[in-house]
């Protein structure tokens, strides 16, 4: 019988990348944890309710933008009862600088009313109950469970979706697929902080338009084919980062000034 020739890959498709092993995933998180020993959300909040409101406001908006609007809001409305008393019209005015502010104001008033009527004015520690609240999806519920209640959930936003797919640690076509992949591969000891390490890495290093591979502590583990070329990233740097017990902390300053990049370009 004649052998059937292999079908050529479709034009524009990329070859399947080698999956992360459990050991590689553990090392991936070890380095991220060493670079940011105390991972935490950058959203400002006072209690579980204000965290819920802040996360709802952060949809399709930046944490920086949300943090500019919420201090004045939370000073007068840090409970569902106070938020309901504030009213939709005034709330709308206070969050006008945030994208989709009218829809978000309507949802926040509605969820405040539901919290009072169905949960005694408290934020439930239950994913199903959280997802029934207006404006709350799986990602928001996961953030609240993780940050407010210490549950080892992994909320997949645009940053985490990008990092998981680009590095190859948990590729997926949908946020749910990525979440499931991360749940399977993330070691138990790193699950509580995984959400924060991944989102901060995506926000400051593995950025959408131009990832800063020269300052990345997991560059040699990453499966991204278009990252900085070896000529731009010396082998010594890759080896040092791979062997480092405690990688140097990542800072916004170091990220904005990759190691020796300008100097190398002048050579």
């Amino acid at each position: 019988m004649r052998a059937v020739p292999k079908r050529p890959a479709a034009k524009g498709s990329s070859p399947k990348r080698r999956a992360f092993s459990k050991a590689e995933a553990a090392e991936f998180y070890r380095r991220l944890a060493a670079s940011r020993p105390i991972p935490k959300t950058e959203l400002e909040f006072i209690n579980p309710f204000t965290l819920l409101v802040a996360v709802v406001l952060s949809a399709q908006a930046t944490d920086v933008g949300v943090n500019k609007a919420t201090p004045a809001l939370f000073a007068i409305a840090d409970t569902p009862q106070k938020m309901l008393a504030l009213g939709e019209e005034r709330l709308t005015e206070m969050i006008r600088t945030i994208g989709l502010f009218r829809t978000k104001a309507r949802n926040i008033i509605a969820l405040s009313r539901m919290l009072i009527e169905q949960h005694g004015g408290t934020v439930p520690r239950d994913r199903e109950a959280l997802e029934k609240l207006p404006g709350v999806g799986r990602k928001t519920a996961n953030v609240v469970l993780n940050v407010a209640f210490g549950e080892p959930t992994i909320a997949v936003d645009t940053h985490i979706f990008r990092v998981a797919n680009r590095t190859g640690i948990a590729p997926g076509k949908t946020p749910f697929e990525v979440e499931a992949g991360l749940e399977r591969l993330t070691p138990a000891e790193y699950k509580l902080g995984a959400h924060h390490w991944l989102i901060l890495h995506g926000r400051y290093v593995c950025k959408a338009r131009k990832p800063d591979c020269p300052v990345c502590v997991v560059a040699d583990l990453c499966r991204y084919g278009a990252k900085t070329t070896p000529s731009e990233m010396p082998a010594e740097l890759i080896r040092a980062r791979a062997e480092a017990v405690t990688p140097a902390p990542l800072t916004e300053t170091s990220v904005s000034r990759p190691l020796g990049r300008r100097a190398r370009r002048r050579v």
Side-chain angles (χ1 to χ4, degrees):
M1 182 180 294
R2 206 170 41 170
V4 178
K6 292 183 179 179
R7 180 180 298 177
K11 187 177 181 180
S13 64
S14 56
K16 188 173 182 180
R17 296 179 294 179
R18 182 172 58 85
F20 268 64
S21 67
K22 289 186 177 180
E24 287 174 320
E27 177 63 10
F28 184 96
Y29 280 109
R30 184 195 70 78
R31 297 186 198 176
L32 294 184
S35 66
R36 297 181 186 272
I38 306 176
K40 61 180 181 179
T41 180
E42 294 188 324
L43 285 172
E44 297 174 1
F45 66 97
I46 301 170
N47 53 35
F49 174 69
T50 54
L51 172 66
L52 173 61
V53 171
V55 180
V56 169
L57 291 174
S58 70
Q60 299 183 49
T62 66
D63 288 0
V64 173
V66 172
N67 289 340
K68 289 180 179 178
T70 52
L73 172 62
F74 294 158
I76 59 176
D78 61 351
T79 67
Q81 294 84 351
K82 292 178 182 178
M83 190 66 74
L84 208 56
L86 182 67
E88 185 176 333
E89 185 176 345
R90 193 173 174 196
L91 172 59
T92 300
E93 289 302 314
M94 296 189 76
I95 64 171
R96 184 173 288 275
T97 57
I98 300 173
L100 305 175
F101 62 93
R102 289 191 178 86
T103 299
K104 291 175 181 178
R106 185 165 56 250
N107 285 336
I108 289 170
I109 292 298
L111 71 81
S112 296
R113 183 178 292 109
M114 189 177 289
L115 288 175
I116 294 170
E117 295 175 351
Q118 299 183 17
H119 302 284
T122 62
V123 176
R125 187 174 180 170
D126 178 80
R127 186 200 303 281
E128 185 177 353
L130 284 168
E131 290 188 33
K132 288 180 179 179
L133 297 173
V136 177
R138 186 177 182 86
K139 185 204 77 173
T140 298
N142 276 341
V143 173
V144 173
L145 290 171
N146 180 275
V147 178
F149 302 115
E151 299 283 349
T153 55
I154 302 176
V156 178
D157 70 346
T158 55
H159 293 297
I160 294 179
F161 187 79
R162 179 177 65 256
V163 170
N165 275 287
R166 181 182 277 168
T167 64
I169 191 170
K173 295 180 179 179
T174 66
F176 185 76
E177 286 183 8
V178 168
E179 180 185 337
L182 289 171
E183 287 283 354
R184 287 194 302 271
L185 207 57
T186 302
E189 65 267 31
Y190 294 118
K191 278 191 176 180
L192 184 60
H195 163 77
H196 304 291
W197 286 315
L198 292 170
I199 194 172
L200 292 173
H201 190 65
R203 183 173 291 162
Y204 296 117
V205 180
C206 197
K207 295 177 285 190
R209 293 187 178 181
K210 189 175 182 181
D212 282 312
C213 301
V215 299
C216 178
V217 296
V218 294
D220 58 305
L221 297 172
C222 175
R223 309 293 197 250
Y224 184 47
K227 60 176 173 281
T228 309
T229 62
S231 61
E232 294 173 293
M233 188 193 304
E236 310 88 72
L237 175 59
I238 296 177
R239 187 163 52 252
R241 291 192 179 281
E243 297 174 351
V245 176
T246 305
L250 296 177
T251 64
E252 292 188 45
T253 301
S254 68
V255 170
S256 62
R257 297 180 183 177
L259 303 178
R261 177 183 289 175
R262 294 180 180 177
R264 286 194 299 276
R265 286 178 177 173
R266 287 195 294 264
V267 174

